[in-house]
């Protein structure tokens, strides 16, 4: 499934200028903070990590799935990719300047989001930008097949911006901008750019 996912998503960014624009804004904000490490949490096959590196960021990736990490290491030789969970991030406090979670919080149940965002705040330097994308909506579903017809068992949670912003504020983030894209895989894609409060 990881190899199919890489094939199916490899060109997605080429087709979504809005996503490239927000990633470019994120990169500019990181560089304005003096640069430094950027972590792509739930990096999957590393397509966003690779894009961030093309934007001159010192980006590395973390993902729960060893198979996704294998493909990321194959596709982005020389780039750091670690196996790990965002529910228990082992990065040191204030060790990254920026953090991206691109369509990965969608797999985290409501009850664990606050804990994950607390980890995000802990590892980010004060003022560091946080970029999230997610599927907009109310329903959650259990995905049993996908990415080329492979069987899987993965929960996908759709959320509204208001809920995400409330969780972010409670975790110590200030939301700077948010938007809804209709171009993301023909579904509603939510994007939020926030910053770690001091
Ligand atoms: C829809 S994919 C998105 C991958 C990548 N960000 C992209 O945009 O191509 C979601 C990814 O989140 C990862 N994931 C799910 N739960 C995770 C967790 N608790 N910690 C880290 N990664 C997780 C999955 O393994 C998967 O690679």
């Amino acid at each position: 499934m990881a190899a199919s996912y890489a094939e199916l998503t490899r060109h997605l960014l080429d087709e979504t200028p809005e996503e490239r624009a927000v990633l470019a804004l994120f990169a500019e904000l990181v560089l304005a903070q003096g640069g430094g490490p950027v972590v792509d949490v739930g990096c999957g096959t590393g397509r966003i990590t690779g894009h961030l590196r093309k934007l001159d960021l010192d980006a590395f990736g973390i993902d729960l799935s060893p198979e996704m990490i294998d493909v990321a290491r194959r596709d982005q030789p020389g780039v750091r990719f670690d196996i790990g969970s965002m529910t228990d991030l082992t990065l040191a406090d204030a060790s990254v300047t920026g953090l991206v979670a691109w369509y990965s919080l969608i797999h985290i149940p409501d009850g664990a989001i606050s804990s994950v965002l607390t980890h995000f705040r802990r590892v980010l330097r004060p003022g560091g930008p946080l970029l999230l994308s997610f599927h907009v909506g109310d329903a959650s579903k259990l995905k049993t097949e996908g990415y080329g017809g492979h069987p899987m068992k993965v929960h996908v949670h759709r959320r509204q911006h208001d809920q995400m912003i409330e969780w972010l504020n409670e975790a110590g983030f200030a939301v700077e901008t948010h938007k809804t894209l209709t171009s993301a895989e023909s579904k509603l894609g939510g994007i939020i750019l926030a910053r770690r409060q001091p």
Side-chain angles (χ1 to χ4, degrees):
M1 194 272 286
S4 298
Y5 182 85
E7 287 313 310
L8 290 167
T9 59
R10 198 179 302 286
H11 301 294
L12 273 187
L13 268 186
D14 296 338
E15 296 154 18
T16 45
E18 297 90 346
E19 294 194 354
R20 291 201 306 277
V22 80
L23 288 163
L25 171 60
F26 170 82
E28 196 170 319
L29 293 175
V30 170
L31 294 173
Q33 297 262 322
V38 167
V39 63
D40 178 9
V41 179
C43 63
T45 54
R47 67 188 182 102
I48 301 296
T49 323
H51 186 76
L52 294 173
R53 293 186 69 84
K54 284 189 196 145
L55 297 174
D56 291 333
L57 297 185
D58 180 16
F60 65 101
I62 294 179
D63 200 280
L64 184 63
S65 159
E67 291 79 8
M68 287 288 205
I69 290 292
D70 278 348
V71 175
R73 288 176 179 154
R74 179 200 72 189
D75 283 1
Q76 316 280 338
V79 178
R80 174 182 165 191
F81 288 102
D82 299 340
I83 299 167
S85 177
M86 68 178 94
T87 58
D88 188 21
L89 270 187
T90 55
L91 299 173
D93 295 1
S95 59
V96 298
T97 308
L99 191 152
V100 174
W102 201 253
Y103 292 106
S104 54
L105 280 177
I106 59 172
H107 299 308
I108 302 296
D110 286 3
I113 289 278
S114 293
S115 163
V116 167
L117 293 180
T118 300
H119 272 292
F120 286 2
R121 183 178 190 281
R122 180 183 62 72
V123 303
L124 262 172
R125 294 177 188 153
L130 167 71
L131 182 62
L132 305 178
S133 67
F134 54 100
H135 295 307
V136 178
D138 299 302
S140 295
K141 67 170 183 182
L142 178 63
K143 195 170 169 145
T144 53
E145 188 191 293
Y147 307 124
H150 296 274
M152 59 172 73
K153 196 175 170 193
V154 167
H155 289 276
V156 177
H157 303 282
R158 293 179 178 276
R159 294 176 171 122
Q160 298 293 345
H161 285 268
D162 288 353
Q163 175 65 83
M164 293 296 295
I165 290 169
E166 189 180 321
W167 280 326
L168 283 162
N169 289 337
E170 284 169 4
F173 288 94
V175 172
E176 298 211 331
T177 183
H178 65 94
K179 51 172 67 188
T180 302
L181 307 178
T182 51
S183 53
E185 301 173 64
S186 311
K187 296 169 191 156
L188 291 179
I191 292 188
I192 298 183
L193 183 63
R195 280 194 199 250
R196 187 201 140 149
Q197 296 284 74

